[in-house]
Amino acid sequence: MPDRSLDSLSSDLGTSISITLGTDAGDDLLVDTTTLVVEGATNRVGIGTTAPDTTLEVVGTVSGATLYAADALRSSGALTWEGAASGATLV
Protein backbone atom coordinates (compact mmCIF):
# COMPACT_ATOMS: atom_id res chain seq x y z
CA MET A 1 0.00 0.00 0.00
CA PRO A 2 1.43 3.41 -0.88
CA ASP A 3 2.19 5.97 1.82
CA ARG A 4 -0.52 8.46 2.64
CA SER A 5 0.07 12.10 3.48
CA LEU A 6 -2.22 13.60 6.11
CA ASP A 7 -2.65 17.24 6.97
CA SER A 8 -4.50 16.51 10.22
CA LEU A 9 -6.12 13.84 12.36
CA SER A 10 -9.34 14.48 14.22
CA SER A 11 -11.75 12.56 16.38
CA ASP A 12 -15.28 13.08 17.64
CA LEU A 13 -15.69 13.84 21.32
CA GLY A 14 -15.35 10.68 23.38
CA THR A 15 -13.49 8.65 20.77
CA SER A 16 -9.81 7.91 20.27
CA ILE A 17 -7.43 7.62 17.33
CA SER A 18 -5.37 4.45 17.04
CA ILE A 19 -2.11 4.45 15.07
CA THR A 20 -0.44 1.14 14.27
CA LEU A 21 3.30 1.33 13.65
CA GLY A 22 5.29 -1.27 11.75
CA THR A 23 8.18 -3.14 13.34
CA ASP A 24 10.85 -2.19 10.80
CA ALA A 25 13.49 0.45 11.49
CA GLY A 26 12.10 3.83 10.48
CA ASP A 27 8.46 2.88 11.14
CA ASP A 28 8.19 5.68 13.69
CA LEU A 29 5.67 8.28 14.72
CA LEU A 30 7.32 11.71 14.71
CA VAL A 31 5.80 14.90 16.05
CA ASP A 32 7.77 18.01 15.06
CA THR A 33 10.99 16.00 14.42
CA THR A 34 12.16 15.57 18.06
CA THR A 35 9.26 16.85 20.16
CA LEU A 36 7.79 13.34 20.41
CA VAL A 37 9.14 10.16 18.82
CA VAL A 38 7.56 6.71 19.10
CA GLU A 39 9.79 4.00 17.62
CA GLY A 40 7.81 1.13 16.13
CA ALA A 41 10.80 -1.25 16.00
CA THR A 42 11.87 -0.85 19.67
CA ASN A 43 8.67 0.34 21.39
CA ARG A 44 10.59 3.30 22.82
CA VAL A 45 9.35 6.84 23.31
CA GLY A 46 11.58 9.88 23.12
CA ILE A 47 10.86 13.48 24.04
CA GLY A 48 13.48 15.88 22.74
CA THR A 49 15.42 13.09 20.99
CA THR A 50 15.11 11.19 17.73
CA ALA A 51 16.74 8.02 19.11
CA PRO A 52 15.60 7.08 22.63
CA ASP A 53 17.96 4.63 24.39
CA THR A 54 15.42 3.48 27.00
CA THR A 55 11.69 2.79 27.16
CA LEU A 56 11.14 6.49 27.90
CA GLU A 57 13.90 9.02 27.33
CA VAL A 58 13.46 12.73 27.95
CA VAL A 59 16.14 15.17 26.84
CA GLY A 60 15.38 18.38 28.68
CA THR A 61 13.78 19.37 31.93
CA VAL A 62 11.14 17.15 33.52
CA SER A 63 8.87 18.38 36.28
CA GLY A 64 6.01 17.01 38.28
CA ALA A 65 4.55 16.72 41.75
CA THR A 66 5.88 13.18 42.36
CA LEU A 67 8.58 11.14 40.66
CA TYR A 68 8.80 7.38 41.17
CA ALA A 69 11.80 5.22 40.26
CA ALA A 70 11.73 1.47 40.94
CA ASP A 71 15.44 0.62 40.87
CA ALA A 72 17.47 3.65 39.84
CA LEU A 73 17.21 7.30 38.99
CA ARG A 74 19.94 8.60 36.73
CA SER A 75 20.85 11.77 34.95
CA SER A 76 23.36 12.59 32.25
CA GLY A 77 23.96 15.89 34.05
CA ALA A 78 23.43 17.18 37.55
CA LEU A 79 20.56 15.64 39.51
CA THR A 80 19.08 18.35 41.71
CA TRP A 81 16.38 18.22 44.37
CA GLU A 82 14.99 20.71 46.81
CA GLY A 83 14.23 19.92 50.43
CA ALA A 84 15.83 17.62 52.97
CA ALA A 85 17.52 14.30 52.16
CA SER A 86 17.91 11.45 54.62
CA GLY A 87 19.83 8.29 53.72
CA ALA A 88 18.33 6.81 50.58
CA THR A 89 15.16 8.87 50.94
CA LEU A 90 14.70 12.34 49.52
CA VAL A 91 12.07 14.32 51.35
Side-chain angles (χ1 to χ4, degrees):
M1 174 179 271
D3 291 342
R4 302 279 186 231
S5 177
L6 299 173
D7 292 328
S8 67
L9 293 173
S10 62
S11 175
D12 293 326
L13 185 64
T15 62
S16 61
I17 297 173
S18 177
I19 299 173
T20 302
L21 300 176
T23 57
D24 295 330
D27 288 345
D28 304 336
L29 171 67
L30 304 175
V31 177
D32 195 27
T33 309
T34 61
T35 300
L36 175 67
V37 174
V38 179
E39 291 191 339
T42 61
N43 292 324
R44 294 179 178 168
V45 175
I47 298 173
T49 179
T50 58
D53 291 326
T54 57
T55 303
L56 173 62
E57 181 174 355
V58 178
V59 175
T61 302
V62 177
S63 63
T66 305
L67 178 63
Y68 293 98
D71 298 317
L73 182 61
R74 66 185 177 130
S75 172
S76 58
L79 184 59
T80 306
W81 66 86
E82 296 179 4
S86 173
T89 304
L90 301 178
V91 182

